[in-house]
Amino acid sequence: RRYAGPNGRGARRAGQGFEAVRGIDLTIRRGELYALLGTNGAGKTSSLEVIEGLARPTAGTVQLLGHDPYADRQLVRPRIGIMLQEAGFPGALTVTELARTWQRLLIDPRPVDDVLEQVGLAHRRTVAIASLSGGEQRRLDLALAIMGRPEVIFLDEPTTGLDPQSRRTTWELIRGLLAEQTSVVLTTHYLEEAEVLADRIGIMHDGRIVREGTLAEIVKTQPSQISFSLDAGVDESGLTRFAGAALHIEERAGHRRLRLETFDPQRVVGLLLSWAGDQIHLTDLHVVPGSLEQAFLEVAASTGIDTTDSTDHENQPEMIA
């Protein structure tokens, strides 16, 4: 959505304000995890603020659970959970005191002890929040977000600062929410997290979603990489007959590292092995399929995305959850 963000996060200057989100179409289904990726400043958090009802879009429409999340916030808020990047907890309260205070604000909350157990904080229930590590505070934030049994939950970089074990525990908790048909909107800088959890992925750049689909749909847009080393003196000119495979050569201390890029790795590997035969030794041969990281880096490096400002109000995009 177009949104003039107060802090200009993820924004381009538009007149006197900032254009943080530049018109996106987004539909999130029940029981689905949608991962919203993008570099710092791409517009992810601003998009979430609009969908959550924390900010009003300057154009277009947003529906969350059948309501306008900004205008009908009282109807929407009890049915959603939000985990912000930074929660700002009062440090003097203990974990249990804060959790019980939050519980009193909810209509049908989960038991405090159960939630703290789920996020691995049961043993820290009597500890002051100021004494928690950064990762523990993130887990407490997650506990509050899930306590109200939300139908839709927004997780803004939920595993930042967590150790690998805690991150995987959080993944299991998220899988449990999905099994209960909770819809999850996730932003993350950990691409592995999106690969493991997401049903669909959107990659934002410059305030727009420029790639969207399942992991398989996004990855298939990226070529496989076939890399190997050749001894000095081996003539690699015959490799140019591999139609559809781009060849890159890097010289390193007496040998060459070659890389073929192709969308048909099986055929190209077969041709490569036939070319080498018994006479040419292919050292350290690796075949790496296209990846989400490749797609992400390609988007992050792009500069040619159309930035035309559309004023067609009859076809304003919608965001629906």
Side-chain angles (χ1 to χ4, degrees):
R1 240 19 19 132
R2 282 196 196 101
Y3 164 52
N7 298 315
R9 289 195 300 263
R12 295 173 64 90
R13 187 169 293 278
Q16 297 301 312
F18 286 93
E19 200 173 39
V21 184
R22 312 188 64 220
I24 64 175
D25 292 308
L26 179 60
T27 301
I28 300 161
R29 308 178 185 101
R30 182 173 294 277
E32 173 183 60
L33 190 146
Y34 188 98
L36 190 60
L37 309 180
T39 56
N40 289 328
K44 304 183 300 299
T45 296
S46 293
S47 297
L48 290 191
E49 288 175 349
V50 172
I51 303 172
E52 294 160 354
L54 300 178
R56 185 195 297 273
T58 58
T61 60
V62 184
Q63 280 195 328
L64 177 60
L65 297 169
H67 300 280
D68 181 325
Y70 189 87
D72 302 326
R73 185 155 179 75
Q74 288 185 331
L75 297 175
V76 170
R77 183 63 189 91
R79 301 171 63 186
I80 67 173
I82 299 175
M83 182 178 179
L84 302 174
Q85 285 187 24
E86 297 181 10
F89 295 135
L93 295 180
T94 67
V95 169
T96 297
E97 288 171 341
L98 177 64
R100 287 179 177 166
T101 299
W102 185 254
Q103 185 188 48
R104 295 188 187 103
L105 303 175
L106 304 173
I107 295 173
D108 181 28
R110 302 174 192 263
V112 167
D113 289 344
D114 289 356
V115 172
L116 294 181
E117 185 71 37
Q118 278 187 288
V119 300
L121 286 178
H123 67 296
R124 303 285 277 170
R125 56 168 54 91
T126 61
V127 174
I129 292 169
S131 298
L132 297 178
S133 68
E136 288 173 332
Q137 291 193 26
R138 292 304 284 160
R139 284 187 274 157
L140 178 57
D141 198 359
L142 178 60
L144 302 187
I146 68 173
M147 187 178 289
R149 308 180 196 271
E151 296 174 53
V152 181
I153 188 167
F154 299 90
L155 304 176
D156 200 355
E157 301 184 23
T159 61
T160 297
L162 300 188
D163 60 76
Q165 181 181 359
S166 296
R167 181 172 296 129
R168 279 159 178 75
T169 298
T170 300
W171 291 357
E172 289 305 313
L173 190 155
I174 293 172
R175 288 190 180 102
L177 294 172
L178 294 171
E180 297 171 356
Q181 289 299 292
T182 302
S183 300
V184 181
V185 184
L186 169 78
T187 72
T188 180
H189 284 299
Y190 298 110
L191 298 185
E192 180 192 7
E193 193 159 87
E195 290 175 332
V196 168
L197 295 175
D199 297 294
R200 287 188 302 131
I201 298 168
I203 303 178
M204 288 195 75
H205 178 82
D206 201 22
R208 291 180 174 173
I209 294 178
V210 295
R211 298 277 177 87
E212 186 180 49
T214 64
L215 176 63
E217 288 169 344
I218 291 176
V219 165
K220 75 179 182 181
T221 67
Q222 302 302 308
S224 296
Q225 313 280 328
I226 304 167
S227 60
F228 53 94
S229 297
L230 288 178
D231 293 332
V234 176
D235 181 9
E236 78 282 349
S237 59
L239 295 175
T240 57
R241 67 188 178 87
F242 296 171
L247 175 63
H248 305 271
I249 303 176
E250 180 182 353
E251 298 285 346
R252 282 190 182 177
H255 71 279
R256 287 159 296 160
R257 187 72 181 166
L258 292 85
R259 176 167 49 87
L260 292 162
E261 293 184 354
T262 176
F263 287 96
D264 190 1
Q266 181 172 326
R267 181 185 66 86
V268 172
V269 167
L271 292 172
L272 175 63
L273 295 177
S274 296
W275 171 80
D278 296 329
Q279 306 301 316
I280 299 174
H281 184 53
L282 303 175
T283 305
D284 198 21
L285 175 63
H286 287 281
V287 181
V288 180
S291 67
L292 179 60
E293 181 179 16
Q294 281 179 256
F296 181 87
L297 293 176
E298 182 179 85
V299 167
S302 65
T303 58
I305 295 173
D306 180 18
T307 58
T308 302
D309 181 17
S310 171
T311 56
D312 181 2
H313 294 285
E314 292 184 0
N315 293 293
Q316 288 292 349
E318 292 188 318
M319 293 194 288
I320 303 172

